[in-house]
Amino acid sequence: MADDGGGAGAWSHTAAQLGELLDLVDEAVVTCDRADGTVLGFNRAAARIFPRLRPGLPAGTAAAPLAHAQARGAKRFSAAHGGRRLRGRRGTVDGLAVWLLSQAGRAQGADAALVDERGRSAFLEEAAQRLGASLHHGRTARTLVDLVTPKLADVSVVVLPASGRRTDWHRAGPGDARSSGEVAVEALEEVPEVANALYGLQPRPAVVGAREPDALDHLVPAEFVRGGEPLVAQLAAGGVPAGVLIMWRGPERDRFDDADVELAQRFAVRAGLALATAALYSQQAHTLAVLQAGMAPAPLPAADGLRLGAAYRPAAEALHISGDFYHVAPSAGGGVTFFFGDVSGKGAEAAVLAGHLRQSMRTLAMVAKDSEPLRDLRLLNDIVLSDGVRFTTLVTGSACPRDDGSVRVEIAGGGHLSPLALRGDGSVEEIPCEGTLVGAVPDPSFGRTEFLLEPGELILFYSDGVTEARGGASGREMYGEERLVDALASCTDMQAASVAERLELLTTEWLAGRPHDDISLLTLQAPPRRGSPPHPQPESRAGPRAGKDEGP
């Protein structure tokens, strides 16, 4: 036998005598085949450390630290095994690997325990950081199993809470393998530890008995199911189940001991909280997406003899849902009916009322035989009063193309900002339409106005989020009606959709990224006659030019 130091010893003893001599040595000695790790011999000290060690069997079946170090090509290692802290070094003789192992003393063991605890703390700190880096539910589950492998196990699977009779799972390992899929809940319920963890009835991790894991063979490769006893940890937050973590170790590693169970428990607390938080966020995001789809304005219809445009930008803090609302629908007699309003306040409560009012107005339009804006406003006033929470501003009406290319517009106003008309000579005209706020008093007074849009002329409806947008050099100056009038006047000869987009762009540039109220714009235009020359820009862009007929 050769030593590690470069010198050589000489023996004149028989093999049996040599074995007896090695049994007298306090240091454990294990000889293995260098090629496949098969155990060839060991002394009495090694048998005390590794009671299941047998000649002719792979080292990994009973002496996992040796197999682990040999697989890495390490010549030295320090590892915990069976409650002991072992230190080992490897020498070679021909085709043999000779492992010399010693147990750490009391002081060394304390130092090693401190190192182990620091390693566990570092692992848990990394886990908390990585698990908290995303609120995406699936990404959090994948990060969870990536953290476990290979620190705690060679293969890890997280099974998400059941929804119906099937549920999702994500797996990491063996090695770099990653996969996911679905599993029937009935299959999971065949393993009591998994079933209890799935339904929040197993507060501490538990090792599954060797005869039970076969029910999990669709989650992991067969060699892990048949050869290992997995550790199952419940993932939960506030007592609510968030999933199940199942961990397997390959034959070359030690089975799960008390220290592993304790670390798995501490990890499961952090992982359960992260997974539950991500699940809650995903549910809220889905709910918000449904609300956004239901509360967003419907696409503008195509209408003969009319051009339409709109822009819609909810307040940033309103989660992309708005208290502004509008709707345009084709009219049975030709042209369109429309309404445009702004609920007091902003955010989810305002958006819910806006959706309620939009649906009420659409229902009125469907059941009524003809357009009567004043009647619709009175009915809507009763609806808002019955809610008793908020009021709204609203303008409603109809636009009907005429044979000469002009468009007759009739509107009724309930406290909303007066619309602006872009006339053929480039001037901007306010169309007065006064009225009481909808839902403010039981006996309201609403205004009614009729006017014509000549070919090429346009009417703009807008919310106060435009004129009250604060920005500019100081960040506190309102955009104001004067700037809006100038901006609208600069849109001469533009189509209705382009006008709405340009006005929203100018308002957004004024805001320069600052918080804002809901912003909505709606444009209706009489198409210009073919071959019409561009209109000259007037010196004065604003001036009164509409007649008004007040309704009761």
Side-chain angles (χ1 to χ4, degrees):
M1 177 180 292
D3 65 13
D4 291 326
W11 300 90
S12 59
H13 304 286
T14 65
Q17 290 173 325
L18 182 60
E20 292 178 3
L21 288 172
L22 290 176
D23 283 341
L24 298 176
V25 176
D26 291 335
E27 197 170 30
V29 180
V30 181
T31 60
C32 301
D33 188 286
R34 290 179 59 187
D36 59 12
T38 301
V39 175
L40 300 178
F42 52 91
N43 67 352
R44 189 171 297 165
R48 286 194 294 267
I49 296 174
F50 304 116
R52 295 188 298 158
L53 208 59
R54 298 290 183 274
L57 296 179
T61 60
L66 301 186
H68 216 39
Q70 188 160 326
R72 300 196 313 270
K75 292 186 177 182
R76 294 178 181 273
F77 73 86
S78 175
H81 177 78
R84 302 180 177 93
R85 168 59 60 175
L86 300 180
R87 298 183 185 276
R89 56 192 177 92
R90 177 170 60 90
T92 59
V93 178
D94 297 330
L96 301 179
V98 182
W99 287 99
L100 305 176
L101 303 102
S102 61
Q103 298 184 49
R106 181 172 298 178
Q108 292 175 319
D111 290 343
L114 180 59
V115 170
D116 288 343
E117 181 57 32
R118 286 175 176 172
R120 288 191 288 267
S121 297
F123 166 69
L124 294 173
E125 183 178 355
E126 179 191 3
Q129 291 176 351
R130 290 181 59 184
L131 289 170
S134 173
L135 287 174
H136 186 279
H137 194 218
R139 191 174 298 121
T140 301
R142 291 190 291 272
T143 299
L144 192 159
V145 291
D146 282 343
L147 282 164
V148 172
T149 309
K151 174 65 178 179
L152 288 174
D154 297 304
V155 177
S156 61
V157 176
V158 61
V159 180
L160 300 179
S163 55
R165 299 312 300 168
R166 298 190 67 81
T167 188
D168 296 327
W169 57 265
H170 298 270
R171 186 183 79 209
D176 295 330
R178 299 292 182 272
S179 57
S180 60
E182 284 189 347
V183 61
V185 175
E186 289 86 348
L188 300 175
E189 291 174 342
E190 293 180 20
V191 182
E193 292 85 354
V194 175
N196 290 338
L198 189 65
Y199 298 117
L201 303 176
Q202 183 172 286
R204 283 191 59 80
V207 176
V208 178
R211 66 184 179 278
E212 296 176 350
D214 288 347
L216 306 175
D217 58 1
H218 46 284
L219 296 179
V220 295
E223 62 269 22
F224 283 91
V225 173
R226 299 191 185 101
E229 296 180 355
L231 180 63
V232 178
Q234 172 182 303
L235 305 177
V240 178
V244 180
L245 176 61
I246 312 173
M247 297 166 282
W248 283 264
R249 285 181 173 177
E252 74 282 358
R253 294 182 67 172
D254 288 340
R255 295 181 180 182
F256 295 102
D257 58 18
D258 291 344
D260 297 322
V261 172
E262 180 63 27
L263 181 57
Q265 170 70 8
R266 294 165 65 184
F267 174 77
V269 171
R270 292 158 175 80
L273 180 59
L275 206 57
T277 301
L280 178 60
Y281 180 83
S282 297
Q283 293 169 0
Q284 291 177 337
H286 174 71
T287 301
L288 181 59
V290 173
L291 287 174
Q292 290 171 356
M295 295 182 178
L300 298 175
D304 293 337
L306 275 172
R307 288 178 176 173
L308 305 173
Y312 176 74
R313 180 180 291 272
E317 62 271 27
L319 301 177
H320 304 291
I321 52 180
S322 170
D324 292 356
F325 60 99
Y326 62 83
H327 183 72
V328 182
S331 176
V336 296
T337 58
F338 59 88
F339 55 85
F340 189 101
D342 182 1
V343 173
S344 61
K346 57 187 176 183
E349 293 181 356
V352 169
L353 180 55
H356 179 43
L357 296 179
R358 182 170 62 244
Q359 189 59 40
S360 298
M361 290 294 290
R362 293 179 65 180
T363 302
L364 289 173
M366 292 176 64
V367 299
K369 294 182 179 180
D370 51 10
S371 175
E372 295 185 20
L374 288 175
R375 176 207 59 195
D376 294 346
L377 283 178
R378 295 191 186 98
L379 290 173
L380 191 65
N381 189 77
D382 294 338
I383 293 173
V384 178
L385 278 175
S386 66
D387 289 337
V389 178
R390 294 174 181 266
F391 58 84
T392 184
T393 66
L394 185 73
V395 56
T396 182
S398 62
C400 183
R402 306 202 312 173
D403 293 339
D404 61 359
S406 64
V407 174
R408 182 181 64 82
V409 181
E410 176 187 5
I411 60 174
H416 196 77
L417 298 169
S418 297
L420 301 175
L422 177 58
R423 294 301 186 179
D425 60 359
S427 63
V428 175
E429 174 188 354
E430 182 181 283
I431 307 297
C433 190
E434 299 175 354
T436 308
L437 293 170
V438 178
V441 296
D443 187 20
S445 175
F446 300 124
R448 175 181 172 277
T449 300
E450 289 187 19
F451 57 94
L452 288 179
L453 293 177
E454 298 296 337
E457 295 184 341
L458 173 146
I459 184 74
L460 167 69
F461 301 93
Y462 62 96
S463 65
D464 58 10
V466 177
T467 52
E468 295 180 4
R470 293 185 178 274
S474 67
R476 297 187 298 273
E477 186 179 0
M478 290 198 300
Y479 190 66
E481 185 174 349
E482 184 177 349
R483 286 189 180 86
L484 177 60
V485 168
D486 289 343
L488 181 58
S490 70
C491 296
T492 303
D493 298 319
M494 294 176 62
Q495 295 190 15
S498 299
V499 172
E501 292 173 1
R502 174 173 170 75
L503 295 178
E504 182 202 11
L505 176 62
L506 293 174
T507 306
T508 303
E509 289 177 346
W510 177 259
L511 287 164
R514 299 179 181 90
H516 61 87
D517 200 353
D518 303 321
I519 294 173
S520 296
L521 302 108
L522 176 66
T523 52
L524 289 81
Q525 184 180 39
R529 294 188 178 93
R530 293 184 179 180
S532 298
H535 299 296
Q537 295 293 330
E539 293 183 3
S540 175
R541 293 187 178 125
R545 206 190 125 184
K548 177 173 69 173
D549 177 21
E550 291 292 335

